[in-house]
Amino acid sequence: MHMKLAVLVSGSGSNLQSIIDHVEAGHINAEIAVVFSNKEDAYGLTRASSHGIPTAVIRHTEYSDREQFDAAMVQVLKDHGADTIALAGFMRMLTPVFLNAFPMRVINIHPALLPSFPGTHGQRDAADFGVRLAGCTVHFVDEKMDHGPVIIQAATPVAPGVDGDTLAGQILRLEHRIYPQALAWLADGRISLDGRHVHIAGAEEPVCDTDGVGPFLVNPPLEKAFAS
Ligand code: GRF
């Protein structure tokens, strides 16, 4: 069955753009049924319209509580036939009213290597903390913020003294690769869950060398004497 995807955005929508591009290229067995935003000036809506994708807006400020806003969103997304929800820079927490309407069909991208640096400033928090490796995570959404089972992560080295904005740009380029990949697996029915553990049927396993050392990213790079 063809996956009918709703993408939820609050801002620029560069992840949305990457998803659109991969859907149009035939890499994801899905159609984007609707792009939804809680903000009518979200640039993601313009991106959607320019690709002929239906859009919908409901302002969260018009609802007195999260549950009522979520119920209104569920209605509009179901009206568009959506069966799977991709949060792409959507800046609202979801309640069980929403999550129970699409059980295990809501996924999110977060710009940090969860469970490190959840929240709205993951990249800046990572830069300020002084980590050597940063990255991003695609995960299922549950009731806790940036918490559900992890589907895929990508890591990248953090250059000395880099600021949060520069790091955010570096991470964003990885986001644009891993989010469409996760959606392609979901669309093909290749993802299953065992508690928190996500299994991806047919995904390549990391290959270890003869000493049993797997592929790794180290930053700063090891000097020669320590590298083997
Ligand atoms: C991304 O960094 C995403 O990880 C976070 O919000 C940002 C959205 O960027 N959740 P964009 O709107 O996709 O450009």
Side-chain angles (χ1 to χ4, degrees), residues 7-19 43-44 47 87-91 108-112 119-120 123 135-137 146 168-169 171-172 175-176 179:
V7 185
L8 275 50
V9 299
S10 297
S12 149
S14 70
N15 277 289
L16 165 68
Q17 187 66 55
S18 179
I19 295 164
Y43 184 61
R47 295 184 193 264
L87 310 182
F90 185 65
M91 304 306 281
N108 181 45
I109 185 145
H110 179 72
T120 42
Q123 312 97 321
C136 46
T137 305
D146 301 326
I171 293 169
L172 195 58
E175 296 183 37
H176 297 162
Y179 211 2

Side-chain angles (χ1 to χ4, degrees), residues 117 124-131:
F117 311 117
R124 196 182 69 200
D125 293 345
D128 289 350
F129 193 87
V131 293

Side-chain angles (χ1 to χ4, degrees), residues 160-173:
V162 79
D163 63 89
D165 286 345
T166 308
L167 183 60
Q170 193 179 326
I171 293 169
L172 195 58
R173 287 179 193 89

Side-chain angles (χ1 to χ4, degrees), residues 189-207:
R190 290 172 59 185
I191 297 187
S192 56
L193 268 164
D194 176 12
R196 281 200 58 88
H197 294 263
V198 173
H199 179 68
I200 301 155
E204 269 184 51
E205 304 273 328
V207 179

